[in-house]
Amino acid sequence: MITSIDALPAGVAARYPYRSRWITTNGWRMHYVDEGPRDAPPVLLLHGNPTWGYLWRDTIPPLLAAGLRVVVPDQIGFGLSEKPHLASAHTLDNHAANLVALLDGLDLERVVFACHDWGGPTGLAALLTRPARAAAVAVMSTWAWRSPSAEFHHRVMPWRTMHAPVLGPYLLGRQAAMPGRGVYLSTVDRQRYEHDGRAAYEAVLSDPDERRLTWLWPRSIPLGLASDIAAERFAWLEAGVPRLHLPATVIWGREDDVFDVDTFAAMWHQWWPHAEGTHLVTGRHFLQEDSGAAIGAILADFALRSTTTGGTR
Amino acid sequence: MTVARVATRPAGHRSVPLLHEPDLGHYDEFRRFLAVTFGLDADPFGPPGVLTVDGRAYELVFTGRSGRPFPAGVEVHALVEGLEPLDVEQADRDLFELAAWLVDGVGAPWSVDALEQTSRIFAIPARP
């Protein structure tokens, strides 16, 4: 199991040239990167399934160049963080609470939350738990509600088959469908992904038991079925997130065919009429793979305005 | 390949765990199918569930969890003779057959066709 950046394959480490740091969150070892001036507003970059901090590798430099602090955790179960084998470790509540512990442990203030995929429900749950630590929020290819849900997530073929009982630990666990091929299918420039991305995602999920969260997390997506296990937490998010009056921005992949822009980006604007965007960039669901630097430039401009002038509204 | 249920665990074989499903009830029809097929409602602690794929034996070990209907989960073990090493690639191909047997037994909306298409889309190494 790889637990630090310097233990990664050389080509991967070279593209993520930062110092490994660790913090204990709820008893688990969380890996994170923390770069930039300590007294600058921190931009907290939150990934989802099945990625890790490396997803943000091209987003980080423009933020640092703008003088911002950048904090990039690997969610417990992914990347260089501890990967608990017990399924009960991987509830939405536990993952959100891990981010609360990170916010408290690093005593982060004036935080700009940047949320992608499961970084949305977990990050926004942490934000609602510690609102005084938040300055602004950016969302991209994510959601925080029960409905509307993605048509893709309702399909038996392929999505629900991928994580159904027994099929999940087989297809996504033993057969490793997600970190390699799964991300590949949700990028635009697949040749670039094969060259710069794939090895990084596969290296940190090299064994079947390490890939547990790749099939457990999909089971927490609410679909209005008896199988919904996180609907209560999503209802709580629905009650709290629209009432946030923080500066907000919406960034989306033009080619996103999982969380389509017309439904999901539009929902964020419905919740937050004051939000900037939608900033459309080249990208499918893993838009950072195609437009990481462009996203970094958008976030840097947004974060500077949001944290130094008292916000955009 | 042919999946068959057999009554007894072959002697002189050791168990090699291949996968663990902790929540069969996520889609409860999967749990119900296994409960009915192996008579678990009447006798949850009876003989092991043994299946063969072209004669190679696999054991389904059913697990319970307080507060949930039985079986809450299942472990799938390869039964390997003596101390011979597991043929991992063969075991993964057999797991595909066991998965196909499972979805075929559970029935609509689950299907072998959906499993095969999904496996093609995601380039599953062990797909037929």
Side-chain angles (χ1 to χ4, degrees), chain A residues 166 170 174-175 181 219 227, chain B residues 18 21 26 92 121 125-126:
Chain A
V166 179
Y170 174 60
R174 287 190 68 85
Q175 297 287 294
R181 180 77 171 176
R219 295 182 180 181
S227 57
Chain B
L18 298 177
E21 168 54 66
H26 179 66
D92 277 321
I121 291 168

Side-chain angles (χ1 to χ4, degrees), chain A residues 87-88 156-158 160-167 169-171 174-175 177 181-182 185 212 215 219 223 225 227, chain B residues 18-24 26-27 30 74 88 92 95-96 99 102-103 109-110 114 117-119 121-122 124-126:
Chain A
S88 47
V156 168
M157 199 290 292
R160 290 172 63 203
T161 292
M162 292 281 284
H163 62 267
V166 179
L167 309 184
Y170 174 60
L171 297 172
R174 287 190 68 85
Q175 297 287 294
R181 180 77 171 176
L185 292 171
R212 190 161 292 260
W215 50 271
R219 295 182 180 181
L223 295 175
L225 301 174
S227 57
Chain B
L18 298 177
L19 63 79
H20 173 223
E21 168 54 66
D23 188 12
L24 277 172
H26 179 66
Y27 295 131
F30 285 75
V74 65
V88 178
D92 277 321
L95 278 175
F96 191 96
L102 178 63
V103 295
W110 312 98
Q117 286 192 57
T118 299
S119 299
I121 291 168
F122 285 88
I124 296 300

